[in-house]
Amino acid sequence: MDFVYVMIFSLVAGYVLDSLLGDPRWLPHPVVGFGYMIAWVEKHWNCGAYRQLKGAVIALLYPAVVFVVAWTIGCGAGFAGMWCYITVAAVFVFYGLASRSLIQEGGEVIKTLKEQGIEAGRKRLSWIVGRDTSQLSVKEIYTAVLETMAENLSDGVVAPLFYYALGGFPAMMAYKMVNTLDSMIGYKDERYRQFGCWSARLDDVLNYIPARLTALLMVGVAYRPGLVRFVLRYGRMHASPNAGFPEAAMAGILNCRFGGAHVYHGILVGKPYIGDCDRELTEKDYRKAVGVNRTVTATMVVLTGLYPLLMNTIK
């Protein structure tokens, strides 16, 4: 079997596994291991002199190590046989995608809010967002869920598939390490400003194309007149050079408003508003966002499968 078809087979199998299983908490996950690696080095290296230099070394070394390890695993599986490689690659694609878990986590917040009240909803939301949730209103909880679904559609689905298309599952896993580094140490507070700045910048670079591709796909699957102009207008109104584009697409699709000031690690961070329709949000908006996420994910899987076919044809 041509290696192009091996990549496609692995991709589809991994996508099916993610659609069926999500991220079961009982199943060991590489990203959890990444987290332990980052926590250890942050504890021992984020101190004393040369913090920025040490952070730069980690930002470059950790993804490189992950790529080499994954590539070595792939080579070993390839020597064992084609179906062994497909199985291993499919498992890594499954680990690299976060489509079902993203939808499930948002749904759990909404369910908890409805069934147990606002305090329980705030606590459940804190599992999936970095902001302080202790004082959020019902509307702000819904807003946070929908913002997270939009941003993580890029980080957790489109970007991993983008790098899978370019470099197989080793590139996908290297990207996941970069993204995990950013989520853990890529902050601008006193503790992480120097040590995490390289991780944050590298994540910005790697997400530049995927974030805009995500917004384009969202516009394509839920088009309405004026949506493109809306995304172009509000996509740059975000502290992140990338997150604003998928968030703007979601806000435009739902005709609502995202953004505003939030507390992160005890610091009030002001963010421009994305959109101008300051309306109440409901479970219906969540269900519409779920439909967008699922359709974009399926579309991106198809595009990712077509890319190696196209490259093979050109050659």
Side-chain angles (χ1 to χ4, degrees):
M1 185 185 294
D2 193 298
F3 187 69
V4 169
Y5 295 101
V6 170
M7 284 191 67
I8 295 172
F9 222 112
S10 305
L11 168 67
V12 173
Y15 166 63
V16 170
L17 283 174
D18 178 69
S19 300
L20 293 175
L21 300 178
D23 288 327
R25 292 189 177 91
W26 54 265
L27 188 66
H29 200 293
V31 173
V32 176
F34 295 170
Y36 285 128
M37 292 170 63
I38 295 165
W40 184 91
V41 79
E42 193 276 332
K43 179 180 179 180
H44 292 87
W45 281 30
N46 189 17
C47 55
Y50 306 111
R51 293 191 189 190
Q52 187 168 337
L53 176 60
K54 289 184 284 189
V57 170
I58 293 305
L60 298 174
L61 178 63
Y62 268 15
V65 168
V66 168
F67 181 90
V68 170
V69 170
W71 181 81
T72 302
I73 292 172
C75 288
F79 282 123
M82 177 188 65
W83 289 106
C84 181
Y85 181 90
I86 289 174
T87 300
V88 169
V91 169
F92 274 105
V93 171
F94 161 64
Y95 280 133
L97 290 177
S99 177
R100 175 163 177 168
S101 62
L102 170 62
I103 292 169
Q104 283 182 323
E105 290 298 326
E108 285 297 321
V109 175
I110 304 302
K111 180 181 177 181
T112 302
L113 177 64
K114 288 178 61 179
E115 295 181 355
Q116 301 179 37
I118 190 167
E119 287 298 332
R122 289 166 175 166
K123 185 175 180 179
R124 190 64 181 79
L125 177 65
S126 68
W127 294 17
I128 63 172
V129 299
R131 72 191 67 173
D132 180 4
T133 63
S134 62
Q135 303 299 318
L136 298 185
S137 65
V138 170
K139 177 183 174 182
E140 288 171 328
I141 291 173
Y142 269 101
T143 300
V145 167
L146 295 170
E147 286 177 347
T148 301
M149 289 181 68
E151 182 178 353
N152 286 350
L153 180 59
S154 176
D155 293 354
V157 177
V158 174
L161 290 173
F162 179 81
Y163 287 103
Y164 179 83
L166 295 182
F169 74 83
M172 189 185 212
M173 287 296 105
Y175 167 78
K176 295 295 287 187
M177 172 55 88
V178 172
N179 193 239
T180 307
L181 279 162
D182 178 63
S183 67
M184 291 184 66
I185 64 174
Y187 296 101
K188 296 180 180 179
D189 58 17
E190 188 61 31
R191 178 174 176 177
Y192 297 114
R193 183 176 294 111
Q194 294 185 55
F195 188 70
C197 66
W198 274 72
S199 294
R201 294 296 172 267
L202 183 58
D203 185 76
D204 288 342
V205 170
L206 293 188
N207 278 302
Y208 187 87
I209 294 175
R212 287 150 181 81
L213 177 58
T214 303
L216 178 63
L217 292 173
M218 293 170 76
V219 168
V221 303
Y223 180 76
R224 64 173 179 79
L227 187 54
V228 173
R229 290 195 302 274
F230 184 95
V231 173
L232 291 176
R233 176 184 177 187
Y234 287 105
R236 296 177 179 84
M237 299 180 70
H238 196 287
S240 163
N242 299 317
F245 287 90
E247 287 191 19
M250 187 66 81
I253 290 167
L254 299 177
N255 190 29
C256 67
R257 188 177 78 174
F258 291 159
H262 299 292
V263 177
Y264 293 85
H265 303 282
I267 300 173
L268 181 65
V269 178
K271 296 181 179 181
Y273 286 112
I274 296 176
D276 51 19
C277 184
D278 186 22
R279 66 176 182 84
E280 293 297 320
L281 296 167
T282 68
E283 190 174 357
K284 182 179 179 181
D285 295 298
Y286 163 75
R287 290 196 298 268
K288 188 171 184 178
V290 168
V292 171
N293 280 35
R294 285 176 174 163
T295 308
V296 167
T297 299
T299 304
M300 187 62 191
V301 168
V302 171
L303 293 176
T304 303
L306 289 176
Y307 178 78
L309 281 175
L310 177 62
M311 293 297 100
N312 194 49
T313 302
I314 293 174
K315 290 179 182 179

